[in-house]
Amino acid sequence: MTVLTITSGELKGQKIDIDRDEITIGRSDQNHISLNEPAVSAKHCVVIRDGKKYTIKDLHSTNGTRLNGRNISESRLKPNDVIMVGTIEITIDGQDMEVEPEKEQFTRANTTPTVIIAPIRNGAGGAPPSPVFQTKRDNRPIVIAFIVLCLLLVAAAMVWFLRAVFTK
């Protein structure tokens, strides 16, 4: 069976059998592999199994997905490949993996190198994470407040209009 092994970070040493056609990786708890790391997007990438062929696909993550040190958008995997998700390294290995003949396997996502800066962590809380790695802000309360305010204004206008019409 083909296995993903986390080789760095809090989950270092954890092995995940690829026992389904898609294994999602990201910060969200809804992923098969959930990585609590600021540089990892909520839905970062997916490992796709097609028979004995395995492919890694970036899911338009903020910091990109790297395979053996290169930015990729999608690429075939072979044994001992190193996948970099944020600051976490994951290796893939399996005796049953079908490997393509040697050639350039990478689809470049872009030609700009990615620089990942991990926040400093220490027992006292440490420095706050860089703004680049902060989680996206939840604007739902602001949107809800705006909608409620608009509804109140519409209701007040209707009351004013009805009062003006019926007081004559």
Side-chain angles (χ1 to χ4, degrees):
M1 175 161 280
T2 302
V3 175
L4 293 169
T5 304
I6 300 173
T7 57
S8 67
E10 293 177 5
L11 300 176
K12 182 177 181 178
Q14 183 173 340
K15 295 180 183 284
I16 299 94
D17 291 334
I18 302 179
D19 57 357
R20 54 183 50 117
D21 291 335
E22 289 189 359
I23 301 285
T24 57
I25 303 170
R27 194 177 61 244
S28 169
D29 291 336
Q30 297 173 350
N31 293 293
H32 298 105
I33 301 174
S34 179
L35 303 172
N36 185 20
E37 195 64 37
V40 176
S41 294
K43 293 235 178 226
H44 200 97
C45 62
V46 62
V47 174
I48 302 165
R49 177 181 69 179
D50 180 17
K52 293 183 178 185
K53 299 175 187 175
Y54 296 84
T55 303
I56 181 95
K57 182 176 181 181
D58 184 73
L59 298 175
H60 307 290
S61 62
T62 303
N63 293 311
T65 301
R66 297 175 65 81
L67 180 62
N68 300 324
R70 293 182 164 176
N71 285 342
I72 57 99
S73 57
E74 185 173 336
S75 185
R76 281 281 302 275
L77 294 167
K78 61 185 184 312
N80 299 317
D81 274 346
V82 178
I83 302 163
M84 186 75 128
V85 179
T87 60
I88 305 295
E89 286 186 358
I90 302 170
T91 58
I92 186 166
D93 194 23
Q95 304 297 331
D96 62 342
M97 290 179 73
E98 187 175 305
V99 181
E100 282 187 352
E102 284 299 316
K103 66 175 185 173
E104 186 68 23
Q105 296 183 21
F106 298 95
T107 304
R108 294 186 184 263
N110 61 38
T111 57
T112 307
T114 300
V115 177
I116 298 174
I117 303 169
I120 298 171
R121 294 183 179 165
N122 63 26
S130 167
V132 175
F133 300 121
Q134 291 180 352
T135 56
K136 292 181 182 174
R137 195 171 149 189
D138 185 9
N139 291 327
R140 285 181 284 187
I142 295 170
V143 171
I144 291 169
F146 180 74
I147 290 170
V148 168
L149 180 64
C150 287
L151 289 173
L152 286 173
L153 287 173
V154 168
M158 287 176 56
V159 167
W160 179 79
F161 175 76
L162 292 172
R163 201 170 189 202
V165 168
F166 291 113
T167 56
K168 291 186 179 188

